[in-house]
Amino acid sequence: MDNRLTFDLKNTDSLTTLYLIGKIDTLGARIFEKKIKEVLAQDIRNLKFNFKGVEYLSSSGLRIILYTKKEMQKRNPDSELIIEDPQKQVVDVLSMTGFLDEVVEVEYTGDKNISG
Amino acid sequence: MGSNIKLKSKIKNWKILSQFIELFLQKYYCDKKFIYEFLLSCEEIFVNICLYAYKSSGGEISVDICVLENYIKIVFSDSGIKFDPTKFENKNINSKIYDRRPGGLGIFLVKKFMSSMKYARKENKNILVMTKKIGR
């Protein structure tokens, strides 16, 4: 098993938060895709990704984010995909590619002591 | 001062190549942002060579990295079919995101992050040279 990306899933009544830790490069994206398909197979209403532990995101990861958003919108056209606590370099990539605001919303939980 | 590595064109080899590049960059005190942008660019190129230049046939990819004055230079060469990633333009970056061709995103980022990117086809090889300036 490749340990470059690990997960933690937290469910409340209306919100599912997937915590990701590691690298979402081309190899991590494969693990991410598998995991997200598993998560989307459940009847979830709102989904958040916590990216505090994500130090690296490349275009292969962006593709999975876009896929997730499309799948969520099939269920509910108004659904939003929130990325919580992303590191600076990851926000830069989201912003440069037009993902920020158009595909995902970024939220910070108040823990400002984020490395990056 | 340089270093070379030769790898089979398998996506899983990105793990080995990324470690090789990261170690080299750390030796030259490149900061976290520099390493991230450099690695991301190399990943896009490596994956594209695996997927497009070699497709299913597979082959060898040779990577040379060196430091040049205030630049880091990296050269990818492969014997696959002609594939010029610099032509892989994402003209529709301003179009609605859901309609975009997914393939162009990576190269768009490479062009943003690297200082230069040049392609040549020599002796049936694809040669891609990229540089990134050290410092701000």
Side-chain angles (χ1 to χ4, degrees):
Chain A
M1 260 313 276
D2 197 323
N3 60 356
R4 57 210 295 122
L5 190 66
T6 56
F7 308 94
D8 195 9
L9 193 65
K10 284 190 181 140
N11 276 305
T12 61
D13 289 344
S14 58
L15 178 69
T16 299
T17 307
L18 183 66
Y19 292 77
L20 296 94
I21 299 133
K23 291 181 181 173
I24 315 178
D25 57 5
T26 184
L27 303 168
R30 290 176 174 186
I31 307 168
F32 186 17
E33 185 176 13
K34 209 174 141 202
K35 185 71 186 176
I36 200 63
K37 283 182 173 167
E38 235 176 78
V39 172
L40 290 169
Q42 300 163 27
D43 180 29
I44 54 162
R45 291 173 186 277
N46 295 297
L47 181 64
K48 258 188 196 183
F49 289 142
N50 184 296
F51 265 30
K52 192 180 173 187
V54 175
E55 59 191 84
Y56 185 103
L57 173 77
S58 68
S59 71
S60 43
L62 291 173
R63 267 169 229 139
I64 310 301
I65 293 172
L66 189 59
Y67 166 81
T68 307
K69 177 71 185 263
K70 284 180 177 173
E71 288 300 309
M72 291 299 291
Q73 284 194 326
K74 279 184 200 165
R75 298 164 187 217
N76 172 11
D78 298 325
S79 70
E80 284 185 353
L81 181 59
I82 291 163
I83 294 191
E84 210 171 63
D85 294 342
Q87 296 184 18
K88 168 90 173 63
Q89 69 271 25
V90 169
V91 178
D92 287 348
V93 164
L94 291 170
S95 167
M96 285 164 90
T97 50
F99 269 61
L100 200 63
D101 300 330
E102 218 181 320
V103 180
V104 296
E105 305 283 328
V106 165
E107 266 182 22
Y108 297 95
T109 54
D111 182 1
K112 292 286 173 199
N113 199 14
I114 299 164
S115 68
Chain B
M1 297 280 248
S3 211
N4 169 272
I5 190 168
K6 287 180 175 63
L7 300 149
K8 286 249 160 59
S9 63
K10 291 191 188 309
I11 300 279
K12 67 169 190 196
N13 283 339
W14 169 244
K15 193 173 176 177
I16 299 165
L17 182 59
S18 63
Q19 283 164 355
F20 168 82
I21 296 168
E22 196 168 351
L23 273 174
F24 185 88
L25 297 178
Q26 280 168 351
K27 250 191 347 205
Y28 291 96
Y29 313 108
C30 297
D31 64 18
K32 197 177 162 185
K33 180 177 154 69
F34 184 99
I35 293 175
Y36 176 61
E37 294 179 355
F38 199 95
L39 276 178
L40 185 146
S41 303
C42 292
E43 180 194 333
E44 304 296 346
I45 297 303
F46 178 76
V47 170
N48 274 308
I49 294 171
C50 292
L51 295 179
Y52 301 108
Y54 281 122
K55 291 187 179 165
S56 55
S57 67
E60 191 181 78
I61 301 173
S62 176
V63 180
D64 288 277
I65 186 165
C66 65
V67 58
L68 263 172
E69 291 174 41
N70 54 344
Y71 288 88
I72 301 283
K73 178 176 148 187
I74 189 158
V75 183
F76 285 83
S77 49
D78 66 79
S79 306
I81 57 164
K82 187 179 177 195
F83 171 69
D84 180 357
T86 64
K87 296 268 165 63
F88 219 78
E89 264 183 75
N90 199 353
K91 288 176 184 161
N92 55 353
I93 193 76
N94 293 316
S95 73
K96 194 127 178 63
I97 204 151
Y98 299 98
D99 307 327
R100 267 183 226 159
R101 205 163 44 97
L105 263 182
I107 299 299
F108 169 79
L109 286 171
V110 176
K111 288 179 179 174
K112 286 266 182 193
F113 288 152
M114 299 304 270
S115 308
S116 76
M117 183 186 184
K118 277 181 193 143
Y119 171 83
R121 181 83 180 165
K122 280 182 199 157
E123 293 160 358
N124 289 322
K125 282 189 172 178
N126 295 307
I127 317 274
L128 188 79
V129 184
M130 297 194 293
T131 64
K132 186 168 172 64
K133 202 172 177 209
I134 305 167
R136 281 155 216 280

